[in-house]
Amino acid sequence: MQQIKTVWVGLDKRKQLVIALATVAVLVALVVMSRMATAPTMKLLYAGLESGPAGEVVSALEQRGTTFEVRGGSIYVPANQRDELRMTLASEGLPANGGQGYELLDSLTGFGTTSQMFDAAYWRAKEGELARTIVASPHVAHARVHIANNGSSPFQRSVEPTASVSVVPAGAPITPAQANALRFLVASAVAGLTVENVAIIDANGALIGPADTTAGPNSADDRAQLLKERILRLVEARVGAGNAVVEVSVDTVTQTESIRERRFDPEGRVAISTDTEERTDSSRNAAGGDVTVASNLPDGDEAAGEGSQAKASEIRERINYEVSETEHEIIRAPGAIKRLTVAVLVNGLDTQAEDGTQVFQERPEEELSALRDLVASAVGFDAERGDVITMKSMELPQAATFGTPTGESFAQSLDLDVMSLIQMAALALVALILGLFVVRPILSKPAELSASGVGALPPVSDGPSTQSGPVLTGEIADEAGEYSAAQLGAQAGEGDAGVPALADDGPSPVERLRSMIGERQEETVEILRSWLEENEENA
């Protein structure tokens, strides 16, 4: 400390100011780097939240006294508390990303609640529940559901309910198949709502595919891909993964064809109705005779004689027959399979020869025949339709793998934080710069002064003091010998009144000067510095 103080006093104002500013800057850098190194590592807690749910999460973190940072629309917390905070906030229903559901109906009471208010709250709760169900999918980050219902008005019976769903994907875009599933979900939850009346809108404001109620692939390429995956899965179960190549070609009907056939069989008759009519006629003629008074009386005798009678009976039957008729209609829509072609290439077997080399060998014909039968059963082979299955065994070259295999690095195995390591390295670098360019020059200042004329000499052993300190070198001693004892005493009196003057008696002036320097080191250095400055000014 004495040396540092001596060097500091010997510096001019400009150098002192530079050293002070450098020291302050280094101290500030050390404090900043130490705080960065000791600060906890922040990791993402939630992102993409709306203002309301995000405010609720921030309030919950403030109540717990948890350190957090808000960067744009994201909330960051210490890495060692992130998982625990997610579980704790989830138990409290935070963040409420899907809106409120049926709990809205709990706040309604029978007093002051009209039917219109209840209907509005019910549909709002229905929308919130549907949004919660959609957000539960890992593919959807945010969802809003809007349902337009005609309500209970009896004058709007012909109006059908409609719905629209706005979704924000959690990574990959929403596929048409996923959008179709969301349509069925919303349509099944609302009475009277059809799949065609549900619209799915993505984050870009675009409509995702129309409703598709058909099942299975429609185009020839889709069917070929489905059959290819089925055959490849079946063949690789035997020959191993990567040892089979499958190609499927499906020729489908692209035109609509309607065939209607009507046949009549004259030999085949069918009675469709029978009409039978029966008719009977009878007549009677009386015989002629004289007319008397007795015959005119009611009880008089009839006229003698015999009459004639006639009876006729007729039966008529009418049977209506219809000619036998057969009507046959065939409608062929586009997409029907017209012809199927399958090509399967399987890798052979590598056998070891007697000399130790690897020799390729084709698979046995029995094995290929068995695989062909399995493939025919899997694709629905029909020889009458013209289907063809070709299976060959050939050598498949092994493709060279590019790059290096992925693996866990040494830093990952140690589970170290890269940012913490960088901060510690920067802190060590600042400390090294401080030691090399600030502390070391200050401590080495006496050596620079020694080059100018003042240095560290061995301690004086015959003096009254045993304290080691700087004394005169040979050059300084010769220069000091030119001065008389009186001049040295006078100069010492000017510099410091406490320095005794040199006398003529006793030891030599040089010895006495060395003894005095050993006792008064600081005063001696100041005197010698003033001498040197005077010499420089005179020069």
Side-chain angles (χ1 to χ4, degrees), residues 7-63:
V7 173
W8 176 262
V9 174
L11 297 177
D12 55 3
K13 297 297 184 181
R14 184 177 62 82
K15 294 182 178 179
Q16 290 180 356
L17 180 61
V18 171
I19 293 177
L21 293 178
T23 304
V24 172
V26 172
L27 291 178
V28 171
L30 286 175
V31 172
V32 173
M33 295 302 298
S34 62
R35 294 196 59 172
M36 292 177 60
T38 57
T41 303
M42 309 299 286
K43 287 191 176 182
L44 179 64
L45 178 64
Y46 294 115
L49 299 179
E50 293 184 351
S51 300
E56 295 177 357
V57 172
V58 169
S59 300
L61 294 178
E62 290 178 349
Q63 293 177 0

Side-chain angles (χ1 to χ4, degrees), residues 41 54 58 62-63 86 119 196 209 211 245 248 253 303 425 442 469 488 516:
T41 303
V58 169
E62 290 178 349
Q63 293 177 0
R86 283 183 177 178
D119 291 341
E196 293 78 10
V245 179
V248 179
V253 177
I442 293 177
L488 183 61
M516 183 187 66

Side-chain angles (χ1 to χ4, degrees), residues 33-345:
M33 295 302 298
S34 62
R35 294 196 59 172
M36 292 177 60
T38 57
T41 303
M42 309 299 286
K43 287 191 176 182
L44 179 64
L45 178 64
Y46 294 115
L49 299 179
E50 293 184 351
S51 300
E56 295 177 357
V57 172
V58 169
S59 300
L61 294 178
E62 290 178 349
Q63 293 177 0
R64 289 176 171 79
T66 305
T67 304
F68 65 92
E69 295 180 3
V70 179
R71 305 174 187 174
S74 305
I75 302 175
Y76 290 81
V77 295
N80 56 352
Q81 303 179 11
R82 183 187 64 176
D83 298 337
E84 181 181 357
L85 287 174
R86 283 183 177 178
M87 294 182 181
T88 305
L89 295 176
S91 63
E92 299 177 1
L94 297 176
N97 203 15
Q100 294 181 337
Y102 285 128
E103 60 269 16
L104 289 173
L105 303 179
D106 298 337
S107 59
L108 298 179
T109 59
F111 299 97
T113 302
T114 62
S115 60
Q116 290 79 8
M117 295 173 60
F118 181 82
D119 291 341
Y122 173 78
W123 288 111
R124 182 183 174 189
K126 177 76 74 173
E127 294 173 353
E129 289 294 332
L130 288 173
R132 285 180 179 179
T133 305
I134 295 174
V135 172
S137 173
H139 305 286
V140 180
H142 180 69
R144 292 290 298 272
V145 180
H146 304 279
I147 301 175
N149 190 44
N150 57 355
S152 58
S153 176
F155 302 102
Q156 298 179 351
R157 294 180 180 179
S158 60
V159 179
E160 297 181 356
T162 59
S164 61
V165 182
S166 175
V167 293
V168 177
I174 301 298
T175 61
Q178 295 173 348
N180 195 29
L182 295 180
R183 289 188 181 90
F184 276 95
L185 173 65
V186 177
S188 302
V190 180
L193 181 62
T194 60
V195 178
E196 293 78 10
N197 292 333
V198 180
I200 306 297
I201 304 172
D202 61 1
N204 298 325
L207 185 64
I208 306 178
D212 186 9
T213 58
T214 60
N218 295 326
S219 63
D221 294 337
D222 295 339
R223 293 189 177 184
Q225 183 64 27
L226 180 61
L227 294 176
K228 179 180 177 180
E229 294 176 357
R230 187 181 303 173
I231 297 172
L232 188 62
R233 183 169 57 251
L234 179 62
V235 176
E236 284 186 346
R238 169 60 183 172
V239 300
N243 291 325
V245 179
V246 179
E247 293 296 336
V248 179
S249 177
V250 179
D251 187 8
T252 59
V253 177
T254 58
Q255 297 178 352
T256 302
E257 183 179 3
S258 178
I259 301 176
R260 186 173 183 180
E261 183 180 2
R262 188 175 183 183
R263 296 180 180 180
F264 295 93
D265 187 8
E267 301 296 332
R269 296 182 301 171
V270 179
I272 59 175
S273 63
T274 303
D275 186 11
T276 303
E277 181 181 355
E278 183 178 357
R279 182 177 182 182
T280 303
D281 295 332
S282 79
S283 61
R284 181 179 179 182
N285 295 325
D290 297 334
V291 178
T292 62
V293 176
S295 61
N296 291 327
L297 294 175
D299 296 334
D301 296 335
E302 295 181 0
E306 294 180 1
S308 62
Q309 294 181 358
K311 292 183 180 181
S313 178
E314 181 182 1
I315 297 177
R316 181 181 298 177
E317 184 178 9
R318 182 184 296 112
I319 301 176
N320 296 324
Y321 293 92
E322 184 71 23
V323 179
S324 178
E325 179 184 357
T326 303
E327 187 174 352
H328 185 63
E329 184 178 3
I330 300 175
I331 298 177
R332 295 177 181 176
I337 297 178
K338 185 165 55 177
R339 188 170 181 268
L340 184 64
T341 304
V342 180
V344 181
L345 177 62

